[in-house]
């Protein structure tokens, strides 16, 4: 009997414990269910993105948390496959926005883009201010000015002030100079502009927004170009939109038969800057009204006679030039609005003469003949023995230009220019890039022939190219971000996705060509970074 009582008691205790356990599990399940059903108010992706500091880096941890919260709020009560798909897409989208907005700043913060500048002597500046008069009572204006001066605080005024030009009060102080004049005074033996010079940004902003006072056709050249004047006495070279941005060059056309592209000029400026060259004058896009900003203000009678209205009511003109200036090849607005590129003018030739050099790898510009370099694989051996390529940096300067041209598929580099003042010891101007970015479906290997024949490249150029091949600094990404700063980007992307993606493909081709040179030649690298620690400059990749 005692054993039966103890057994019954133990069974009762076990039953009570089992009930308590079930009750606790039930309470816990109800609590968890209530938590899962509680709504979470999550900001939309745009709000989350706008709260980040762009451009810049995202604090580690915050990025992952925003990704997971956004994914949970959007994928609640969805099948598991759909949840994973949405999470992946949103994580990819947010990470792309973060990386694309920060890569350009990260690139320009890299040591390779912040090397100490060479010490500049007085003769290393293209322009300089004239010294004071011997009497000391008056100041001479700078070389850009050609007017009378009477006292130290006197104003320089133009006879055209009543025509809408700004009242000028230019002294020796840089604070009194317009942005374009400060940009001109900053040109040196080694670079067209300093990337960190605020005057360059001011020049592009003013070209995109200032009132246009005058429009005349630029003489010479094969296609239509206009010179536009602004109230602060600055000028810009205008190239109009001639075809859609995504239109590829007809494969049946020769390289010298294509239209110039306004967006190519803009993209070339940005690419030149991203590569660290800084040898293309500032270029910006703009929408202009053909009636009020060209036709109504031009004093060019030859230009004014070429305006007409198309059959669909668009205002058109064609000007006068060697090619493509006819009613069959007009420039037309929609109906009056026209996309254009505006490139800041270089100092006047009377102040800063330039020398034009025929490129050794100039094409024949013939439908039947080949150029010498196309027939002789050892052509560079002759070039290396010919001044100015037999000494100094002229050959690697030209290779820099070849790399730029190959990336943007520019086959029209028959000449290049330098400032006469600096002789042969200076950089090359990368001017006239309107025939670039014509084809994205194929690359043009002949553009890269100088690199393959000569097997010479600057160390700094090669290191920057390798940097731009890394995922964190991908060339197509930094170019996309850089181009987003242009006003015309709000109308449509300046370069199509295809044109951006081929930059990465072409960059690989360049690096492969250099790798082949290094395998077969010893004297490939021109070391312009002597004295620098390679690991500090580049980090994980070394030469």
């Amino acid at each position: 009997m005692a054993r039966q009582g103890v057994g019954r008691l133990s069974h009762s205790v076990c039953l009570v414990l089992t009930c308590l356990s079930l009750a606790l599990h039930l309470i816990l399940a109800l609590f968890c269910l209530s938590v899962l059903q509680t709504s979470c108010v999550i900001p939309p992706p745009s709000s989350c993105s706008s709260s980040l500091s762009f451009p810049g880096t995202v604090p580690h941890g915050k990025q992952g948390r925003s990704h997971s919260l956004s994914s949970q709020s959007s994928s609640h009560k969805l099948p598991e496959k759909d949840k994973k798909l949405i999470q992946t897409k949103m994580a990819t989208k947010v990470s792309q926005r973060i990386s694309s907005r920060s890569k350009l700043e990260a690139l320009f913060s890299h040591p390779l883009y912040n090397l100490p500048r060479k010490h500049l002597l007085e003769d290393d500046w293209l322009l300089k201010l004239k010294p004071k008069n011997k009497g000391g009572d008056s100041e001479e204006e700078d070389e850009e000015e050609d007017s009378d001066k009477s006292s130290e605080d006197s104003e320089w005024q133009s006879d055209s002030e009543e025509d809408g030009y700004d009242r000028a009060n230019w002294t020796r102080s840089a604070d009194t100079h317009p942005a374009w004049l400060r940009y001109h005074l900053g040109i040196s033996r080694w670079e067209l502009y300093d990337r960190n010079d605020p005057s360059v940004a001011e020049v592009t902003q003013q070209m995109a927004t200032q009132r246009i006072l005058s429009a005349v056709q630029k003489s010479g050249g094969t296609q239509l170009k206009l010179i536009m004047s602004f109230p602060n006495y600055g000028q810009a070279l205008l190239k109009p939109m001639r075809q859609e941005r995504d239109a590829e060059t007809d494969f049946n056309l020769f390289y010298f038969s294509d239209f110039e592209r306004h967006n190519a000029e803009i993209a070339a400026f940005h690419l030149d800057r991203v590569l660290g060259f800084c040898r293309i004058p500032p270029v910006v896009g703009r929408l202009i009204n053909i009636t009020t900003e060209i036709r109504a203000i031009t004093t060019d009678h030859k230009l004014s006679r070429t305006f007409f209205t198309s059959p669909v009511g668009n205002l058109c003109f064609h000007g006068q030039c060697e090619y493509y200036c006819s009613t069959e090849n007009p420039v037309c607005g929609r109906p009056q609005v026209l996309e254009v590129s505006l490139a800041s003018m270089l100092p006047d030739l009377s102040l800063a003469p330039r020398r034009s050099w025929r490129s050794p790898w100039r094409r024949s510009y013939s439908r039947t003949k080949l150029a010498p370099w196309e027939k002789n694989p050892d052509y560079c051996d002759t070039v290396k023995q010919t001044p100015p390529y037999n000494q100094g940096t002229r050959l690697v300067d030209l290779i820099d230009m070849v790399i730029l041209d190959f990336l943007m598929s520019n086959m029209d580099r028959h000449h290049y220019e330098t400032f006469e003042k600096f002789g042969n010891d200076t950089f090359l101007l990368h001017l006239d890039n309107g025939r670039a970015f014509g084809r994205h479906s194929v690359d043009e290997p002949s553009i890269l022939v100088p690199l393959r024949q000569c097997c010479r490249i600057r160390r700094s150029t090669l290191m920057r190219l390798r940097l731009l091949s890394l995922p964190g600094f991908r060339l197509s990404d930094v170019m996309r971000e850089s181009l987003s700063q242009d006003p015309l980007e709000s109308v449509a992307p300046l370069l199509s996705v295809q044109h951006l993606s081929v930059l990465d493909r072409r960059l690989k081709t360049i690096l492969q060509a250099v790798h082949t040179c290094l395998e077969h030649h010893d004297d490939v690298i021109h070391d312009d970074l002597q004295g620098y620690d390679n690991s500090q400059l580049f980090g994980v990749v070394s030469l």
Side-chain angles (χ1 to χ4, degrees), residues 169-411:
N169 182 21
W170 301 348
T171 66
R172 292 179 59 85
S173 172
D175 295 335
T176 66
H177 301 161
W180 63 265
L181 181 53
R182 295 198 303 273
Y183 152 59
H184 283 180
L185 291 171
I187 300 173
S188 72
R189 178 184 297 274
W190 308 116
E191 60 186 0
L192 187 60
Y193 62 88
D194 179 5
R195 180 175 50 79
N196 297 314
D197 183 2
S199 300
V200 176
E202 289 183 51
V203 168
T204 56
Q205 190 271 339
Q206 291 174 1
M207 288 192 297
T209 58
Q210 276 197 330
R211 184 163 57 97
I212 298 174
L213 296 183
S214 171
V216 296
Q217 185 169 342
K218 184 180 184 300
S219 60
T222 60
Q223 300 194 31
L224 176 67
K225 295 180 284 288
L226 304 179
I227 296 179
M228 318 300 281
S229 300
F230 303 103
N232 66 351
Y233 303 95
Q235 290 186 321
L237 182 68
L238 179 149
K239 290 190 177 182
M241 180 177 184
R242 302 295 298 261
Q243 54 189 332
E244 299 298 328
R245 300 180 190 181
D246 57 352
E248 273 202 285
T249 301
D250 190 333
F251 287 91
N252 292 312
L253 291 180
F254 286 91
Y255 50 86
F256 49 82
S257 302
D258 193 18
F259 283 123
E260 292 187 338
R261 297 170 180 79
H262 71 301
N263 59 314
E265 292 286 356
I266 302 169
F269 164 66
H270 286 264
L271 180 59
D272 179 81
R273 184 168 169 263
V274 163
L275 293 173
F277 295 153
C278 299
R279 300 166 196 169
I280 295 180
V283 185
V284 70
R286 176 168 175 166
L287 291 174
I288 65 168
N289 186 295
I290 297 178
T291 298
T292 60
E293 295 180 302
I294 298 181
R295 187 176 190 178
I297 61 175
T298 186
T299 57
D300 189 330
H301 299 297
K302 293 182 178 179
L303 175 64
S304 62
R305 288 197 295 264
T306 66
F307 286 88
F308 65 94
T309 302
S310 73
V312 295
N314 293 330
L315 183 59
C316 305
F317 66 101
H318 55 75
Q320 295 184 4
C321 60
E322 293 183 24
Y323 304 102
Y324 310 120
C325 286
S326 63
T327 53
E328 291 78 21
N329 296 285
V331 174
C332 296
R334 297 181 179 176
Q336 301 181 54
V337 177
L338 177 67
E339 284 188 27
V340 301
S341 67
L342 293 170
S344 179
M345 299 290 287
L346 292 171
D348 191 88
L349 292 175
S350 62
L351 298 172
R354 302 193 298 271
R355 178 173 177 178
S356 178
W357 301 79
R358 179 170 174 153
S359 171
W361 282 269
R362 180 185 185 273
R363 298 178 185 276
S364 65
Y365 286 83
S366 168
R367 295 178 176 85
T368 57
K369 295 181 181 179
L370 294 177
W373 57 269
E374 294 178 288
K375 297 180 289 185
N376 181 9
D378 299 323
Y379 177 76
C380 187
D381 294 339
T382 302
V383 174
K384 288 180 178 179
Q385 299 173 11
T386 306
Y389 306 98
N390 59 343
Q391 59 183 352
T393 62
R394 179 59 62 89
L395 182 59
V396 290
D397 287 333
L398 189 139
I399 296 300
D400 282 348
M401 186 168 60
V402 166
I403 289 170
L404 173 71
D405 286 337
F406 179 75
L407 286 171
M408 58 187 185
S409 193
N410 179 24
M411 302 173 66

Side-chain angles (χ1 to χ4, degrees), residues 38 45 81 111 119 152 247 276 290 305 337 371 386 418 463 486 502-503:
T38 302
K81 289 184 178 180
H119 177 67
E152 185 172 289
I290 297 178
R305 288 197 295 264
V337 177
T386 306
T418 59
M463 294 180 77
D486 190 88
V502 299
L503 291 174

